Amino acid sequence: MKMFYFKISVLCGFTLCLIGCTQKVSSGDIEKLNGYWEISQVEFPNGQTKEYKVNPTVDFIKVEELKGFKKKVYPKFDGSYQTSNDAEPFTIVEKEGAYNLSYSKELIQWEERITTITDDTYSIVNQDNIKYTYKRYEPINITP
């Protein structure tokens, strides 16, 4: 019986540590989204993951006062970027203690919940429960 209670207490302690150690996104973290990001991993609801080693496109994100946009850019070897005029505007909305990127384009609306933000990475989960993890993009400069 002692072993049963020991296992339960260890399980509860581990669970509390996971909950307590999970980094919560704060309003001050939102500005860290500004900059260039490349996708590093996608995690599907069934637990499968897809890793991205090299990306032909990078996301540029600009946020100001809980409004912003995300734009695809194409890095060049000289350190510059090629881009189009297409951008996805969004607003940042707080819901139930979490921050969401809320998009509205013509008749389509969707949200992505921000799960983590650090200086070098961020993750979002979409409405299909697919998690996208991004890392800060570092340009490759191959000029002599």
Side-chain angles (χ1 to χ4, degrees):
M1 193 66 159
K2 286 182 182 180
M3 184 57 100
F4 173 74
Y5 287 118
F6 175 75
K7 288 180 180 178
I8 294 296
S9 64
V10 169
L11 181 61
C12 289
F14 181 71
T15 303
L16 287 174
C17 180
L18 281 178
I19 293 169
C21 296
T22 301
Q23 182 184 13
K24 186 174 179 177
V25 176
S26 71
S27 61
D29 292 328
I30 301 298
E31 69 183 39
K32 293 178 184 177
L33 289 174
N34 285 313
Y36 295 91
W37 298 92
E38 64 179 317
I39 192 163
S40 60
Q41 179 179 305
V42 176
E43 185 177 333
F44 300 94
N46 65 4
Q48 289 184 322
T49 60
K50 181 175 181 178
E51 302 284 331
Y52 290 84
K53 302 292 182 199
V54 178
N55 298 297
T57 62
V58 173
D59 288 345
F60 174 72
I61 299 176
K62 177 68 177 168
V63 177
E64 243 181 80
E65 298 181 15
L66 301 181
K67 292 185 179 185
F69 66 89
K70 185 187 295 186
K71 179 181 253 196
K72 294 283 185 202
V73 298
Y74 305 90
K76 294 179 166 185
F77 289 116
D78 65 0
S80 65
Y81 301 92
Q82 180 181 351
T83 185
S84 67
N85 291 327
D86 295 333
E88 293 179 339
F90 60 80
T91 57
I92 297 175
V93 180
E94 184 178 3
K95 286 185 180 178
E96 301 170 4
Y99 289 92
N100 295 332
L101 301 178
S102 180
Y103 299 90
S104 182
K105 195 172 188 178
E106 297 173 7
L107 300 175
I108 302 170
Q109 294 180 347
W110 71 99
E111 288 190 354
E112 299 170 328
R113 182 173 39 92
I114 304 169
T115 57
T116 60
I117 302 176
T118 69
D119 290 335
D120 300 318
T121 64
Y122 85 93
S123 296
I124 54 173
V125 175
N126 71 9
Q127 293 172 329
D128 295 325
N129 207 29
I130 299 172
K131 180 180 180 182
Y132 297 88
T133 301
Y134 294 83
K135 63 182 178 180
R136 180 87 51 197
Y137 176 71
E138 302 212 13
I140 300 170
N141 194 341
I142 308 180
T143 54

